Structures are given as structure tokens and as C-alpha cells.
Amino acid sequence: MNAPRPKVRIATTSLAGCFGCHMSFLDIDEHLFELVELVEFDRSPLTDIKHCGPCDIGLIEGGVCNAENVHVLREFRRNCKTLIAVGACAINGGLPAQRNHLDLEACLREVYVSRDGLGEGGVPNDPELPLLLDKVRPIHELVRIDYFIPGCPPSGEAIWKFLTDLIAGRTPRLSYPMMHFD
Amino acid sequence: MSKRFLFDGRPVVFEDGQTILQAARAAGHYIPHLCWHPDFPPHGSCKLCIVKVAGRHVSSCAMPAKEGMEVESNTPEINGERRALLQMLFVEGNHFCPSCEKSGNCQLQALAYDLEMTGERFAHFFPERPVDSSHPDVLLDFNRCIFCELCVRASRDVDGKNVFALTNRGINKHLVVNAESGRLGDTDLAADDLAANICPVGVILKKRVGFATPIGERTYDVKPIHIVAMEDGK
């Protein structure tokens, strides 16, 4: 008698991203019913579990823009057998990395001090707030990444194709219409 | 009897004076390229057209075809090397496709799609390259320059205006405008010059028409570059 196949454990997170890739993941629509038969979720905005346990697959949206992102990314790498960069920001820094050619302090002053009506508070300096890095980095510059799913965001079909390939033990591969960087 | 060589195991007929790339294209075989253009002599800078001949890597745009050569092009090894070249081009500049007007019509992006470059592997340089919007009809976004010199060659050899040049060497190499101020607005470049229409990436852009064709319906959104390039001779 065949024992039921253990479910694949997946963790997801958004670092310096906009949650667009997570929205795209939810865009797999009715495939979600098939997905819950195949996988269970560990740390993810979908479960609200705060820390990652041992997992088969980790999906990372967004690049690394602050100290907390670095800790979360390392936690995922420690716990996930296969780590996947999902979307433009995770792969090359994306929109947040457009600040990389600007001076960080000038950026903060522009947002919190220089604008009309914002003179009072100054740059937020609460110890609860993670410190910003001087440059936004793609995640492969900090930890080893096994696969990349490009797109801004990748389509639901692309994410579904990639995950089902991986879960079935095939080499994940995107067809030409699924390959886009925009 | 006509001369021939073997291209990925298939015989290709050629005439003396043809390069490997020209002969292969004439026979219907696509070789990836960025700096090569059918109307200009070979430039040999992008190296995307590398092929393997007798165990050596050569630029097929510049290497004359020879009787009996065995050329390897569309192989996992060569395509892997092409992918690495693309990755290096991507990390050297600032190629942020989601905000680029050229997305979907960009040959660099199209080759990355076609060669299945999903990630960029190397560390990003994030160079600082301010844009030049001084010209009334043409925007210059230096962030995306891959130094193919097609604009330089078109402006010098066809338009006769010599508007563009590359300056410095190695990592400091960059595109400049031949004007005392260094600004495009102070040159005689016109929007219908060949130089303003030949950029394979998103550096030289016509103003006010950037999104005339929506994202998703553009050249390489619809068809891969290995098909498009053989259709229009580019």
C-alpha cells in the first residue's frame, strides 16, 4: 500500500518588494485548490507564521534594502532546500534599486524634511525601525539562489508552471510567452 | 562545385568573402548578435555571435567562411557562454526593464528571453549615468548603453554628422555626444537620422511615442528574436 505523499513545505516572504509577486501568486486562481493538495505553507504573509522552519521551497519577493531584509533572507536560506528569487526586485533590485545612484541621507531628507509641511518630525529614528543599507541589492548578492522567476511581476501561470515542475521533479522551465522582464 | 562548411552538422554553401554569420544567415540559420548589422562592416565587440570552429572560439560576424570548416553555434556550451555575456552586459549597466520604454522591442532583452537568461548571476555595478533630455525630439538614456557603436557608425558613415562617440577604455568606457557642451540638444541630430533609429537597446529614444504600442504587444513580446531577425534582415 502506498503511503500518502508528504506535502511539500513552502515559505514565502516579501523583502523590498511591493507584494505584487504575491498577488500574482494568488492569481493562479483555481490552481490554488490543486496547490493546497500538494503543499503546505510555513512562514508566509498567507499564514502569518513569524519564523521559518525547515522547508522544501522558499519564494523570495523583493531585493534587500535594510538590515531586517538581510536577517530574513539568511533565515530563509538556512531553512529552505531550494530558494527561488521571484520577480524583478529579487533578481536585480528592481524599483527600490533606482535609489542606488542617490545619496541615502539626501534621499531621506528629501522625503522627510525638505518637503513643505514635513519640517517637524525629521527623519524617523526609532530603534524598532530597521537600518537602511546604502544600496539596494539583488538577493543573489547575499545568499546562494537556486532559481529565478523573472517578471514584474511574473505571471500567475509562470509561477504555477515553475512550482509544479519543481514539485514533480522536473527541471523548471518557462516557455517563451512566460519569459518577460517587464 | 560550390564551397561549403558544416554549421551545427548541416552543410552551408558560401561564396568567398562571406563571413560565417553572413553565409549562415543566407542559408536560414540564425546566430545571435547585438553589435552586428547587415548594413555595416563587422564590429566584433558584443561577442554574442561567438561560435566554435575547430575547438576555438571566433566571432562569426568577422571570421571568413572557409571550405570544410565545422562550426558549432546552437549548442548548450556556446549558448551558455552567450548567456554569461548577456549577464555581464546586464550588470554593467542599469537595465531596469519594467520602466524602460524599449521593453519588448529591445534586442538585449529579447536575446535574454531567447537564451533563457532568468537571473543575472554577477554582482551589479549600479553605475551612475545621468540622462540627457536636452534634445527636443530624442532622449538619451545612457544607463542602457552596451557600446555596440551602431549609433556612432550610423552617424559618422551614413548621416555624415558624427554626433556620437565612445570615450575612455575598459570599465570607464562610455558613450558621449560630440558637442562642446556634451549635450545632444547642441548637435544637429534629427529624429529621422539613422543614428536616432538604430539603437538595439533603450538608449536613443524618440520622445512622445514611447508607449504608442502597449507593453505585451511589442515585437519580441509576440515572437522570439531568432524568428524576427531572420524575417526583417536585421
Side-chain angles (χ1 to χ4, degrees), chain B residues 112-144:
Chain B
Y113 291 175
D114 218 14
L115 291 165
E116 299 185 66
M117 187 202 94
T118 54
E120 286 151 27
R121 188 158 70 134
F122 304 110
H124 284 248
F125 288 20
F126 295 121
E128 189 174 344
R129 297 188 191 160
V131 302
D132 177 348
S133 58
S134 59
H135 193 282
D137 301 317
V138 178
L139 173 73
L140 266 189
D141 190 331
F142 297 102
N143 289 290
R144 303 153 186 164

Short mmCIF file of all heavy atoms in Angstrom, two decimals, chain B residues 112-144:
data_model
loop_
_atom_site.label_atom_id
_atom_site.label_comp_id
_atom_site.label_asym_id
_atom_site.label_seq_id
_atom_site.Cartn_x
_atom_site.Cartn_y
_atom_site.Cartn_z
N ALA B 112 18.04 37.80 -24.11
CA ALA B 112 17.98 37.20 -22.77
C ALA B 112 16.78 36.26 -22.67
O ALA B 112 16.88 35.18 -22.09
CB ALA B 112 17.90 38.29 -21.71
N TYR B 113 15.66 36.65 -23.26
CA TYR B 113 14.50 35.75 -23.28
C TYR B 113 14.83 34.48 -24.06
O TYR B 113 14.56 33.37 -23.62
CB TYR B 113 13.30 36.41 -23.98
CG TYR B 113 12.64 37.57 -23.29
CD1 TYR B 113 11.62 38.27 -23.93
CD2 TYR B 113 13.00 37.98 -22.01
CE1 TYR B 113 10.98 39.34 -23.32
CE2 TYR B 113 12.36 39.05 -21.40
CZ TYR B 113 11.37 39.73 -22.05
OH TYR B 113 10.73 40.79 -21.47
N ASP B 114 15.39 34.69 -25.25
CA ASP B 114 15.60 33.58 -26.17
C ASP B 114 16.63 32.59 -25.62
O ASP B 114 16.53 31.39 -25.84
CB ASP B 114 16.06 34.13 -27.52
CG ASP B 114 15.47 33.34 -28.68
OD1 ASP B 114 14.51 32.57 -28.44
OD2 ASP B 114 15.93 33.49 -29.82
N LEU B 115 17.63 33.12 -24.91
CA LEU B 115 18.67 32.25 -24.36
C LEU B 115 18.36 31.86 -22.91
O LEU B 115 19.22 31.35 -22.19
CB LEU B 115 20.04 32.93 -24.46
CG LEU B 115 20.56 33.07 -25.90
CD1 LEU B 115 21.72 34.05 -25.99
CD2 LEU B 115 20.97 31.71 -26.46
N GLU B 116 17.12 32.14 -22.48
CA GLU B 116 16.62 31.73 -21.17
C GLU B 116 17.51 32.22 -20.02
O GLU B 116 17.85 31.48 -19.11
CB GLU B 116 16.45 30.21 -21.10
CG GLU B 116 15.43 29.72 -22.13
CD GLU B 116 15.15 28.23 -22.01
OE1 GLU B 116 14.59 27.83 -20.99
OE2 GLU B 116 15.50 27.48 -22.94
N MET B 117 17.88 33.51 -20.10
CA MET B 117 18.62 34.12 -19.00
C MET B 117 17.60 34.58 -17.96
O MET B 117 17.00 35.62 -18.11
CB MET B 117 19.43 35.33 -19.52
CG MET B 117 20.36 35.91 -18.47
SD MET B 117 20.81 37.63 -18.83
CE MET B 117 19.57 38.48 -17.88
N THR B 118 17.39 33.78 -16.91
CA THR B 118 16.38 34.15 -15.92
C THR B 118 16.97 35.07 -14.85
O THR B 118 16.29 35.94 -14.34
CB THR B 118 15.77 32.91 -15.25
OG1 THR B 118 16.82 32.11 -14.71
CG2 THR B 118 14.97 32.10 -16.25
N GLY B 119 18.24 34.88 -14.52
CA GLY B 119 18.87 35.70 -13.48
C GLY B 119 20.16 36.31 -14.00
O GLY B 119 20.60 36.01 -15.11
N GLU B 120 20.79 37.15 -13.16
CA GLU B 120 21.95 37.89 -13.64
C GLU B 120 23.26 37.45 -13.01
O GLU B 120 24.32 37.90 -13.39
CB GLU B 120 21.71 39.40 -13.48
CG GLU B 120 20.73 39.87 -14.55
CD GLU B 120 19.88 41.06 -14.15
OE1 GLU B 120 20.32 41.85 -13.32
OE2 GLU B 120 18.75 41.17 -14.66
N ARG B 121 23.21 36.58 -12.06
CA ARG B 121 24.36 35.84 -11.51
C ARG B 121 25.47 36.69 -10.93
O ARG B 121 25.94 36.44 -9.83
CB ARG B 121 24.93 34.90 -12.58
CG ARG B 121 26.00 33.97 -12.01
CD ARG B 121 26.17 32.74 -12.87
NE ARG B 121 26.78 33.04 -14.14
CZ ARG B 121 27.76 32.35 -14.67
NH1 ARG B 121 28.24 31.32 -14.05
NH2 ARG B 121 28.26 32.68 -15.84
N PHE B 122 25.94 37.71 -11.64
CA PHE B 122 27.07 38.51 -11.16
C PHE B 122 26.58 39.65 -10.27
O PHE B 122 25.39 39.93 -10.19
CB PHE B 122 27.85 39.07 -12.35
CG PHE B 122 28.33 38.00 -13.30
CD1 PHE B 122 27.78 37.87 -14.56
CD2 PHE B 122 29.31 37.10 -12.91
CE1 PHE B 122 28.20 36.87 -15.43
CE2 PHE B 122 29.74 36.09 -13.77
CZ PHE B 122 29.18 35.99 -15.03
N ALA B 123 27.54 40.31 -9.61
CA ALA B 123 27.20 41.46 -8.76
C ALA B 123 26.95 42.68 -9.64
O ALA B 123 27.69 42.94 -10.60
CB ALA B 123 28.33 41.74 -7.78
N HIS B 124 25.91 43.43 -9.32
CA HIS B 124 25.56 44.59 -10.13
C HIS B 124 26.48 45.78 -9.84
O HIS B 124 26.86 46.02 -8.72
CB HIS B 124 24.11 45.00 -9.83
CG HIS B 124 23.11 44.10 -10.47
ND1 HIS B 124 22.29 44.50 -11.49
CD2 HIS B 124 22.82 42.81 -10.25
CE1 HIS B 124 21.54 43.49 -11.86
NE2 HIS B 124 21.82 42.44 -11.12
N PHE B 125 26.82 46.52 -10.92
CA PHE B 125 27.68 47.70 -10.76
C PHE B 125 26.87 48.91 -10.29
O PHE B 125 27.41 49.78 -9.65
CB PHE B 125 28.33 48.06 -12.10
CG PHE B 125 29.40 47.11 -12.57
CD1 PHE B 125 29.48 45.82 -12.09
CD2 PHE B 125 30.33 47.53 -13.50
CE1 PHE B 125 30.45 44.95 -12.54
CE2 PHE B 125 31.32 46.67 -13.95
CZ PHE B 125 31.37 45.37 -13.48
N PHE B 126 25.61 49.00 -10.68
CA PHE B 126 24.78 50.18 -10.44
C PHE B 126 25.54 51.47 -10.76
O PHE B 126 25.70 52.35 -9.92
CB PHE B 126 24.29 50.22 -8.98
CG PHE B 126 23.35 49.08 -8.64
CD1 PHE B 126 23.68 48.19 -7.61
CD2 PHE B 126 22.16 48.91 -9.32
CE1 PHE B 126 22.82 47.14 -7.29
CE2 PHE B 126 21.30 47.86 -8.99
CZ PHE B 126 21.63 46.98 -7.98
N PRO B 127 26.04 51.61 -12.00
CA PRO B 127 26.80 52.81 -12.35
C PRO B 127 25.90 54.04 -12.37
O PRO B 127 24.68 53.93 -12.54
CB PRO B 127 27.29 52.51 -13.77
CG PRO B 127 26.27 51.58 -14.33
CD PRO B 127 25.80 50.75 -13.17
N GLU B 128 26.53 55.19 -12.20
CA GLU B 128 25.76 56.43 -12.24
C GLU B 128 25.88 57.03 -13.64
O GLU B 128 26.96 57.40 -14.09
CB GLU B 128 26.29 57.42 -11.20
CG GLU B 128 25.39 58.62 -11.08
CD GLU B 128 25.82 59.55 -9.97
OE1 GLU B 128 26.61 59.12 -9.11
OE2 GLU B 128 25.35 60.70 -9.97
N ARG B 129 24.77 57.08 -14.34
CA ARG B 129 24.80 57.59 -15.72
C ARG B 129 23.59 58.49 -15.95
O ARG B 129 22.53 58.03 -16.35
CB ARG B 129 24.76 56.44 -16.72
CG ARG B 129 25.97 55.50 -16.65
CD ARG B 129 25.90 54.55 -17.81
NE ARG B 129 26.86 53.47 -17.70
CZ ARG B 129 26.76 52.32 -18.36
NH1 ARG B 129 25.71 52.12 -19.15
NH2 ARG B 129 27.66 51.38 -18.22
N PRO B 130 23.74 59.79 -15.70
CA PRO B 130 22.60 60.72 -15.86
C PRO B 130 22.09 60.74 -17.30
O PRO B 130 22.86 60.57 -18.24
CB PRO B 130 23.20 62.08 -15.48
CG PRO B 130 24.46 61.77 -14.75
CD PRO B 130 24.96 60.47 -15.27
N VAL B 131 20.78 60.96 -17.46
CA VAL B 131 20.20 61.01 -18.80
C VAL B 131 20.38 62.40 -19.40
O VAL B 131 20.67 63.37 -18.69
CB VAL B 131 18.69 60.64 -18.77
CG1 VAL B 131 18.49 59.25 -18.18
CG2 VAL B 131 17.88 61.67 -18.01
N ASP B 132 20.23 62.48 -20.72
CA ASP B 132 20.33 63.76 -21.43
C ASP B 132 19.00 63.98 -22.17
O ASP B 132 18.70 63.30 -23.14
CB ASP B 132 21.50 63.68 -22.42
CG ASP B 132 21.64 64.95 -23.28
OD1 ASP B 132 20.72 65.79 -23.28
OD2 ASP B 132 22.69 65.08 -23.95
N SER B 133 18.22 64.94 -21.67
CA SER B 133 16.91 65.19 -22.29
C SER B 133 16.89 66.54 -23.01
O SER B 133 15.84 67.12 -23.25
CB SER B 133 15.80 65.15 -21.23
OG SER B 133 16.07 66.11 -20.22
N SER B 134 18.10 67.02 -23.38
CA SER B 134 18.19 68.38 -23.92
C SER B 134 17.66 68.50 -25.36
O SER B 134 17.34 69.59 -25.80
CB SER B 134 19.66 68.84 -23.88
OG SER B 134 20.47 67.94 -24.64
N HIS B 135 17.60 67.40 -26.09
CA HIS B 135 17.15 67.46 -27.49
C HIS B 135 15.62 67.49 -27.54
O HIS B 135 14.97 66.77 -26.78
CB HIS B 135 17.69 66.24 -28.24
CG HIS B 135 17.55 66.33 -29.73
ND1 HIS B 135 16.37 66.11 -30.38
CD2 HIS B 135 18.46 66.63 -30.70
CE1 HIS B 135 16.56 66.26 -31.69
NE2 HIS B 135 17.82 66.58 -31.91
N PRO B 136 15.03 68.30 -28.42
CA PRO B 136 13.56 68.39 -28.43
C PRO B 136 12.85 67.09 -28.80
O PRO B 136 11.73 66.86 -28.35
CB PRO B 136 13.27 69.49 -29.47
CG PRO B 136 14.52 69.64 -30.26
CD PRO B 136 15.64 69.26 -29.37
N ASP B 137 13.47 66.24 -29.62
CA ASP B 137 12.77 65.06 -30.13
C ASP B 137 13.36 63.72 -29.70
O ASP B 137 12.76 62.68 -29.95
CB ASP B 137 12.76 65.09 -31.67
CG ASP B 137 12.09 66.34 -32.20
OD1 ASP B 137 11.03 66.71 -31.66
OD2 ASP B 137 12.63 66.96 -33.14
N VAL B 138 14.55 63.75 -29.11
CA VAL B 138 15.24 62.49 -28.80
C VAL B 138 15.77 62.52 -27.37
O VAL B 138 16.41 63.49 -26.97
CB VAL B 138 16.42 62.24 -29.79
CG1 VAL B 138 17.15 60.96 -29.44
CG2 VAL B 138 15.92 62.19 -31.23
N LEU B 139 15.48 61.43 -26.63
CA LEU B 139 16.00 61.28 -25.27
C LEU B 139 17.19 60.34 -25.28
O LEU B 139 17.18 59.33 -25.99
CB LEU B 139 14.91 60.72 -24.35
CG LEU B 139 15.36 60.35 -22.93
CD1 LEU B 139 15.61 61.59 -22.10
CD2 LEU B 139 14.32 59.47 -22.25
N LEU B 140 18.22 60.67 -24.51
CA LEU B 140 19.39 59.80 -24.38
C LEU B 140 19.44 59.24 -22.97
O LEU B 140 19.64 60.00 -22.01
CB LEU B 140 20.66 60.62 -24.60
CG LEU B 140 21.30 60.69 -25.98
CD1 LEU B 140 22.66 61.37 -25.86
CD2 LEU B 140 21.44 59.32 -26.59
N ASP B 141 19.26 57.92 -22.83
CA ASP B 141 19.37 57.31 -21.51
C ASP B 141 20.61 56.40 -21.50
O ASP B 141 20.56 55.25 -21.95
CB ASP B 141 18.11 56.51 -21.18
CG ASP B 141 18.10 56.06 -19.72
OD1 ASP B 141 19.22 55.86 -19.16
OD2 ASP B 141 17.02 55.93 -19.14
N PHE B 142 21.71 56.94 -21.00
CA PHE B 142 23.00 56.24 -21.05
C PHE B 142 23.04 54.97 -20.20
O PHE B 142 23.94 54.16 -20.34
CB PHE B 142 24.13 57.18 -20.60
CG PHE B 142 24.31 58.37 -21.48
CD1 PHE B 142 23.83 59.61 -21.11
CD2 PHE B 142 24.97 58.25 -22.69
CE1 PHE B 142 24.01 60.72 -21.92
CE2 PHE B 142 25.16 59.35 -23.52
CZ PHE B 142 24.67 60.59 -23.14
N ASN B 143 22.07 54.84 -19.28
CA ASN B 143 22.06 53.69 -18.38
C ASN B 143 22.07 52.35 -19.11
O ASN B 143 22.49 51.34 -18.57
CB ASN B 143 20.82 53.74 -17.49
CG ASN B 143 20.91 54.85 -16.47
OD1 ASN B 143 21.71 54.79 -15.55
ND2 ASN B 143 20.11 55.89 -16.65
N ARG B 144 21.56 52.36 -20.35
CA ARG B 144 21.33 51.08 -21.03
C ARG B 144 22.33 50.82 -22.14
O ARG B 144 22.18 49.86 -22.91
CB ARG B 144 19.92 51.09 -21.61
CG ARG B 144 18.86 51.33 -20.55
CD ARG B 144 17.63 51.97 -21.13
NE ARG B 144 16.68 52.32 -20.06
CZ ARG B 144 15.66 53.15 -20.23
NH1 ARG B 144 15.46 53.71 -21.40
NH2 ARG B 144 14.85 53.42 -19.23
#
